[in-house]
Amino acid sequence: MVVEVVRPVRAIEVADLSNFNKRYFVGSARAAREVSLAFSIPGTVASIAVAVGDEVKEGDVVASLDPAPYHAEVDRLTADLDGASAKYENAKVQTERQRVLLGKETVSQARVDNFEAAEKSSAATVRSIKGALDKATLDLGYTQLRSPFNGVVVAKYVEDFEEVPAQRPIARVVDGERIEMVINIPERFISIAQYIENVRVSFDAIGDIEIPATISEIGTEASAATRTYPVTLLMSQPQGVRVLPGMTGRARGTPKKGYEQFSSIVVPVAAVFVPEGQSEPNVWIVDRDSMTVQTRLVSLGQPHSLGLSIQSGVEVGDIVVTAGANSLREGQKVSLLGENR
Protein backbone atom coordinates (compact mmCIF):
# COMPACT_ATOMS: atom_id res chain seq x y z
CA MET A 1 0.00 0.00 0.00
CA VAL A 2 1.39 3.37 -1.08
CA VAL A 3 0.86 6.25 1.34
CA GLU A 4 0.48 9.59 -0.41
CA VAL A 5 2.75 12.20 1.12
CA VAL A 6 1.14 15.57 1.78
CA ARG A 7 3.79 18.25 1.47
CA PRO A 8 3.46 21.39 3.60
CA VAL A 9 4.12 24.56 1.59
CA ARG A 10 4.19 28.29 2.15
CA ALA A 11 1.72 30.15 -0.01
CA ILE A 12 -0.02 33.49 -0.39
CA GLU A 13 -3.39 34.50 -1.67
CA VAL A 14 -2.76 36.89 -4.54
CA ALA A 15 -3.95 40.45 -4.00
CA ASP A 16 -4.54 43.16 -6.56
CA LEU A 17 -2.34 45.96 -5.20
CA SER A 18 -3.97 48.55 -7.41
CA ASN A 19 -6.99 48.35 -5.09
CA PHE A 20 -4.97 49.05 -1.97
CA ASN A 21 -5.82 52.75 -1.94
CA LYS A 22 -9.53 51.85 -2.02
CA ARG A 23 -9.36 49.71 1.10
CA TYR A 24 -10.10 50.81 4.64
CA PHE A 25 -8.48 49.29 7.68
CA VAL A 26 -10.28 49.54 11.02
CA GLY A 27 -8.68 50.30 14.38
CA SER A 28 -9.25 51.98 17.74
CA ALA A 29 -7.77 55.28 18.90
CA ARG A 30 -5.54 55.47 21.94
CA ALA A 31 -3.32 58.10 23.50
CA ALA A 32 0.15 58.14 21.96
CA ARG A 33 1.63 58.60 25.43
CA GLU A 34 0.18 57.84 28.83
CA VAL A 35 1.73 57.27 32.20
CA SER A 36 0.69 56.33 35.71
CA LEU A 37 2.59 58.73 37.94
CA ALA A 38 3.98 57.48 41.26
CA PHE A 39 6.36 58.78 43.89
CA SER A 40 9.70 57.00 44.00
CA ILE A 41 9.78 57.45 47.80
CA PRO A 42 7.22 56.74 50.55
CA GLY A 43 5.49 59.45 52.54
CA THR A 44 2.29 61.25 53.45
CA VAL A 45 0.41 62.97 50.64
CA ALA A 46 0.39 66.69 51.44
CA SER A 47 -1.74 67.73 48.48
CA ILE A 48 -3.13 66.57 45.16
CA ALA A 49 -2.88 69.58 42.86
CA VAL A 50 -5.11 68.28 40.05
CA ALA A 51 -8.54 66.84 39.45
CA VAL A 52 -9.70 64.38 36.81
CA GLY A 53 -10.10 66.24 33.53
CA ASP A 54 -7.51 68.93 34.31
CA GLU A 55 -4.98 69.80 31.64
CA VAL A 56 -1.37 69.86 32.78
CA LYS A 57 1.82 71.17 31.19
CA GLU A 58 5.19 69.46 31.23
CA GLY A 59 6.74 70.07 34.64
CA ASP A 60 3.49 70.99 36.42
CA VAL A 61 3.20 69.64 39.98
CA VAL A 62 0.57 66.91 40.14
CA ALA A 63 0.97 65.95 43.81
CA SER A 64 3.27 66.59 46.78
CA LEU A 65 4.42 64.61 49.78
CA ASP A 66 5.01 66.12 53.20
CA PRO A 67 8.66 67.23 52.84
CA ALA A 68 9.38 67.68 56.58
CA PRO A 69 11.00 64.24 57.16
CA TYR A 70 13.19 64.67 54.11
CA HIS A 71 14.15 68.23 55.08
CA ALA A 72 15.14 66.91 58.50
CA GLU A 73 17.30 64.20 56.95
CA VAL A 74 19.06 66.74 54.71
CA ASP A 75 19.71 69.01 57.73
CA ARG A 76 21.07 66.12 59.81
CA LEU A 77 23.43 64.92 57.09
CA THR A 78 24.56 68.48 56.36
CA ALA A 79 25.57 68.84 60.03
CA ASP A 80 27.28 65.44 59.97
CA LEU A 81 29.19 66.44 56.84
CA ASP A 82 30.36 69.69 58.43
CA GLY A 83 31.67 67.76 61.46
CA ALA A 84 33.33 65.07 59.35
CA SER A 85 34.93 67.68 57.09
CA ALA A 86 36.38 69.48 60.11
CA LYS A 87 37.84 66.22 61.44
CA TYR A 88 39.32 65.46 58.04
CA GLU A 89 40.99 68.88 57.82
CA ASN A 90 42.43 68.44 61.30
CA ALA A 91 43.67 64.95 60.41
CA LYS A 92 45.46 66.34 57.34
CA VAL A 93 47.19 69.00 59.46
CA GLN A 94 48.25 66.43 62.08
CA THR A 95 49.57 64.08 59.43
CA GLU A 96 51.64 66.84 57.84
CA ARG A 97 53.15 67.72 61.24
CA GLN A 98 54.14 64.12 61.80
CA ARG A 99 55.85 64.03 58.41
CA VAL A 100 57.88 67.11 59.37
CA LEU A 101 58.90 65.48 62.65
CA LEU A 102 59.79 62.29 60.79
CA GLY A 103 62.14 64.34 58.64
CA LYS A 104 63.82 65.51 61.83
CA GLU A 105 63.95 61.94 63.04
CA THR A 106 61.98 62.77 66.20
CA VAL A 107 59.11 60.31 65.48
CA SER A 108 58.99 56.86 63.98
CA GLN A 109 57.60 55.85 60.58
CA ALA A 110 55.00 53.71 62.36
CA ARG A 111 53.59 56.82 64.07
CA VAL A 112 53.34 58.64 60.74
CA ASP A 113 51.60 55.60 59.23
CA ASN A 114 49.00 55.72 62.03
CA PHE A 115 48.25 59.39 61.33
CA GLU A 116 47.99 58.75 57.57
CA ALA A 117 45.54 55.90 58.22
CA ALA A 118 43.44 58.20 60.39
CA GLU A 119 43.45 60.83 57.62
CA LYS A 120 42.29 58.28 55.05
CA SER A 121 39.55 57.10 57.39
CA SER A 122 38.36 60.68 57.85
CA ALA A 123 38.32 61.20 54.08
CA ALA A 124 36.26 58.03 53.62
CA THR A 125 33.78 59.22 56.24
CA VAL A 126 33.40 62.53 54.40
CA ARG A 127 32.74 60.74 51.11
CA SER A 128 30.21 58.41 52.71
CA ILE A 129 28.26 61.24 54.34
CA LYS A 130 28.41 63.31 51.16
CA GLY A 131 26.92 60.40 49.19
CA ALA A 132 24.14 60.01 51.74
CA LEU A 133 23.48 63.77 51.61
CA ASP A 134 23.27 63.70 47.82
CA LYS A 135 20.67 60.92 48.00
CA ALA A 136 18.71 62.73 50.71
CA THR A 137 18.71 65.89 48.57
CA LEU A 138 17.38 63.89 45.62
CA ASP A 139 14.70 62.32 47.82
CA LEU A 140 13.66 65.80 48.95
CA GLY A 141 13.20 66.77 45.31
CA TYR A 142 11.13 63.63 44.75
CA THR A 143 8.49 64.88 47.21
CA GLN A 144 6.99 66.76 44.25
CA LEU A 145 5.46 64.66 41.50
CA ARG A 146 5.52 66.43 38.12
CA SER A 147 3.94 65.69 34.76
CA PRO A 148 6.52 64.47 32.21
CA PHE A 149 4.60 65.95 29.26
CA ASN A 150 1.61 68.08 28.32
CA GLY A 151 -1.56 66.10 28.83
CA VAL A 152 -4.85 65.53 30.59
CA VAL A 153 -5.42 63.89 33.99
CA VAL A 154 -7.73 60.94 33.40
CA ALA A 155 -7.54 59.20 36.78
CA LYS A 156 -6.65 59.98 40.39
CA TYR A 157 -5.98 57.15 42.82
CA VAL A 158 -5.28 58.76 46.22
CA GLU A 159 -6.49 61.63 48.37
CA ASP A 160 -4.78 64.20 50.58
CA PHE A 161 -3.14 62.97 53.81
CA GLU A 162 -2.93 59.34 52.70
CA GLU A 163 0.21 57.44 53.61
CA VAL A 164 1.57 55.97 50.39
CA PRO A 165 4.44 53.56 49.71
CA ALA A 166 6.93 54.13 46.93
CA GLN A 167 5.69 53.32 43.39
CA ARG A 168 2.00 53.38 44.30
CA PRO A 169 0.09 55.01 41.41
CA ILE A 170 -1.07 58.52 42.25
CA ALA A 171 -2.60 59.77 38.99
CA ARG A 172 -2.69 58.89 35.31
CA VAL A 173 -1.91 61.43 32.60
CA VAL A 174 -2.44 60.95 28.86
CA ASP A 175 -1.10 63.04 26.01
CA GLY A 176 -4.29 64.37 24.47
CA GLU A 177 -2.61 66.07 21.51
CA ARG A 178 -1.11 63.01 19.88
CA ILE A 179 -3.31 60.03 19.04
CA GLU A 180 -2.31 56.53 17.96
CA MET A 181 -4.40 53.96 16.16
CA VAL A 182 -3.41 50.34 15.57
CA ILE A 183 -4.79 48.73 12.43
CA ASN A 184 -4.37 45.13 11.30
CA ILE A 185 -2.99 44.58 7.80
CA PRO A 186 -3.45 41.21 6.02
CA GLU A 187 -0.19 39.45 5.26
CA ARG A 188 -0.65 39.86 1.50
CA PHE A 189 -0.46 43.64 1.98
CA ILE A 190 2.09 44.00 4.81
CA SER A 191 5.12 44.08 2.47
CA ILE A 192 3.86 47.29 0.84
CA ALA A 193 3.04 49.14 4.08
CA GLN A 194 6.39 50.93 4.01
CA TYR A 195 5.58 52.38 0.57
CA ILE A 196 2.26 53.92 1.60
CA GLU A 197 1.84 57.67 2.14
CA ASN A 198 -0.97 60.21 2.42
CA VAL A 199 -2.57 58.15 5.19
CA ARG A 200 -5.93 59.55 6.33
CA VAL A 201 -8.05 58.45 9.27
CA SER A 202 -11.75 59.10 9.81
CA PHE A 203 -13.89 58.49 12.89
CA ASP A 204 -17.66 58.09 12.71
CA ALA A 205 -17.97 59.86 16.07
CA ILE A 206 -16.62 63.16 14.65
CA GLY A 207 -18.25 63.14 11.24
CA ASP A 208 -16.61 63.31 7.84
CA ILE A 209 -13.32 64.85 9.01
CA GLU A 210 -10.22 63.08 7.64
CA ILE A 211 -7.15 63.39 9.85
CA PRO A 212 -3.65 63.11 8.31
CA ALA A 213 -1.58 60.36 9.91
CA THR A 214 1.85 58.82 9.60
CA ILE A 215 2.96 55.20 9.98
CA SER A 216 5.09 55.08 13.13
CA GLU A 217 5.56 51.32 13.52
CA ILE A 218 5.08 48.23 11.36
CA GLY A 219 4.72 44.94 13.21
CA THR A 220 6.94 42.01 12.23
CA GLU A 221 4.93 39.17 13.78
CA ALA A 222 1.53 38.09 12.52
CA SER A 223 -1.37 37.18 14.74
CA ALA A 224 -1.67 33.40 14.92
CA ALA A 225 -5.46 33.64 14.76
CA THR A 226 -6.00 36.22 12.01
CA ARG A 227 -2.68 36.20 10.10
CA THR A 228 -2.63 39.99 10.17
CA TYR A 229 0.15 42.37 11.19
CA PRO A 230 -0.27 45.36 13.52
CA VAL A 231 0.56 48.75 12.03
CA THR A 232 0.60 51.81 14.31
CA LEU A 233 -0.53 55.19 12.98
CA LEU A 234 0.25 58.51 14.67
CA MET A 235 -1.82 61.68 14.26
CA SER A 236 -2.48 65.05 15.89
CA GLN A 237 -5.85 66.15 17.23
CA PRO A 238 -7.92 67.92 14.53
CA GLN A 239 -9.08 71.49 15.00
CA GLY A 240 -12.53 71.98 16.50
CA VAL A 241 -13.18 68.38 17.56
CA ARG A 242 -11.49 65.88 19.83
CA VAL A 243 -10.66 62.25 19.20
CA LEU A 244 -11.00 60.28 22.43
CA PRO A 245 -9.23 57.02 23.28
CA GLY A 246 -11.40 54.07 22.34
CA MET A 247 -13.08 55.66 19.32
CA THR A 248 -13.23 53.35 16.30
CA GLY A 249 -11.74 54.73 13.11
CA ARG A 250 -10.93 53.75 9.52
CA ALA A 251 -7.60 54.36 7.81
CA ARG A 252 -6.61 54.38 4.17
CA GLY A 253 -3.57 55.48 2.17
CA THR A 254 -2.05 55.60 -1.31
CA PRO A 255 1.21 54.25 -2.78
CA LYS A 256 4.10 56.67 -2.99
CA LYS A 257 4.58 58.43 -6.30
CA GLY A 258 6.66 56.43 -8.76
CA TYR A 259 5.65 52.97 -7.54
CA GLU A 260 3.93 51.88 -10.75
CA GLN A 261 4.22 48.27 -9.62
CA PHE A 262 1.12 48.75 -7.51
CA SER A 263 -0.97 48.66 -10.68
CA SER A 264 -0.29 44.94 -11.17
CA ILE A 265 -0.47 41.64 -9.32
CA VAL A 266 2.76 40.96 -7.41
CA VAL A 267 4.22 37.63 -6.19
CA PRO A 268 7.52 36.88 -4.41
CA VAL A 269 10.50 36.10 -6.64
CA ALA A 270 10.77 32.56 -5.19
CA ALA A 271 7.25 31.76 -6.44
CA VAL A 272 8.34 31.86 -10.10
CA PHE A 273 10.29 29.00 -11.68
CA VAL A 274 11.05 27.51 -15.10
CA PRO A 275 10.15 23.78 -15.36
CA GLU A 276 12.80 21.39 -16.60
CA GLY A 277 12.86 21.24 -20.38
CA GLN A 278 10.89 24.47 -20.76
CA SER A 279 11.87 28.10 -21.20
CA GLU A 280 8.81 29.98 -19.97
CA PRO A 281 8.18 31.04 -16.34
CA ASN A 282 5.55 29.22 -14.28
CA VAL A 283 4.08 29.28 -10.80
CA TRP A 284 2.42 26.59 -8.68
CA ILE A 285 -1.28 27.23 -8.04
CA VAL A 286 -3.01 25.46 -5.14
CA ASP A 287 -6.47 24.15 -5.96
CA ARG A 288 -8.69 25.02 -2.98
CA ASP A 289 -10.98 21.99 -3.36
CA SER A 290 -8.47 19.18 -3.92
CA MET A 291 -5.51 20.85 -2.14
CA THR A 292 -3.23 19.81 -4.99
CA VAL A 293 -0.82 21.93 -7.04
CA GLN A 294 -0.83 22.61 -10.76
CA THR A 295 1.65 24.60 -12.82
CA ARG A 296 0.45 27.80 -14.44
CA LEU A 297 2.26 29.61 -17.25
CA VAL A 298 2.69 33.31 -16.47
CA SER A 299 3.82 36.44 -18.25
CA LEU A 300 6.12 38.60 -16.16
CA GLY A 301 6.42 42.35 -15.83
CA GLN A 302 9.37 44.27 -14.41
CA PRO A 303 11.02 43.06 -11.17
CA HIS A 304 11.08 45.41 -8.19
CA SER A 305 11.70 45.40 -4.45
CA LEU A 306 8.43 43.65 -3.57
CA GLY A 307 8.79 40.72 -5.99
CA LEU A 308 7.69 40.17 -9.57
CA SER A 309 4.69 41.72 -11.26
CA ILE A 310 2.46 39.29 -13.15
CA GLN A 311 0.92 40.58 -16.38
CA SER A 312 -1.10 37.43 -17.10
CA GLY A 313 -1.58 33.88 -15.89
CA VAL A 314 -2.53 34.62 -12.28
CA GLU A 315 -5.75 36.09 -11.00
CA VAL A 316 -6.70 37.84 -7.78
CA GLY A 317 -7.69 35.20 -5.25
CA ASP A 318 -5.36 32.48 -6.59
CA ILE A 319 -3.19 30.74 -4.00
CA VAL A 320 0.43 30.75 -5.17
CA VAL A 321 3.20 28.64 -3.60
CA THR A 322 6.02 30.95 -2.45
CA ALA A 323 8.72 28.48 -1.36
CA GLY A 324 9.96 25.10 -2.52
CA ALA A 325 8.68 25.43 -6.09
CA ASN A 326 11.44 23.21 -7.52
CA SER A 327 10.60 20.26 -5.24
CA LEU A 328 6.92 19.91 -6.15
CA ARG A 329 5.32 17.74 -8.83
CA GLU A 330 2.11 18.17 -10.83
CA GLY A 331 -0.98 17.13 -8.87
CA GLN A 332 0.87 16.69 -5.58
CA LYS A 333 -1.16 16.97 -2.38
CA VAL A 334 -0.14 19.90 -0.18
CA SER A 335 -1.08 21.61 3.05
CA LEU A 336 -0.65 25.29 3.78
CA LEU A 337 1.76 26.24 6.52
CA GLY A 338 0.37 28.54 9.21
CA GLU A 339 -3.14 28.72 7.77
CA ASN A 340 -6.21 26.67 6.86
CA ARG A 341 -6.93 28.65 3.68
Side-chain angles (χ1 to χ4, degrees), residues 38-56:
F39 291 106
S40 59
I41 55 174
T44 302
V45 177
S47 65
I48 301 293
V50 297
V52 173
D54 285 354
E55 293 187 358
V56 292

Side-chain angles (χ1 to χ4, degrees), residues 10-15 17 187-192 264-274 281-285 298 300-310 314 318-325:
R10 295 194 179 276
I12 60 168
E13 182 179 333
V14 174
L17 301 185
E187 61 180 347
R188 62 184 181 273
F189 289 129
I190 192 60
S191 63
I192 68 171
S264 62
I265 289 174
V266 175
V267 298
V269 174
V272 179
F273 70 103
V274 176
N282 283 250
V283 296
W284 287 109
I285 301 294
V298 294
L300 300 181
Q302 292 296 318
H304 49 73
S305 60
L306 298 181
L308 297 175
S309 61
I310 304 294
V314 174
D318 284 344
I319 299 179
V320 177
V321 175
T322 60

Side-chain angles (χ1 to χ4, degrees), residues 37 49-50 54-64 144-151 153 173:
L37 299 177
V50 297
D54 285 354
E55 293 187 358
V56 292
K57 301 293 185 183
E58 180 180 349
D60 283 355
V61 175
V62 173
S64 299
Q144 289 192 322
L145 190 61
R146 299 178 182 273
S147 176
F149 49 76
N150 298 345
V153 179
V173 176

Side-chain angles (χ1 to χ4, degrees), residues 4-15:
E4 185 174 14
V5 177
V6 177
R7 182 179 179 82
V9 296
R10 295 194 179 276
I12 60 168
E13 182 179 333
V14 174

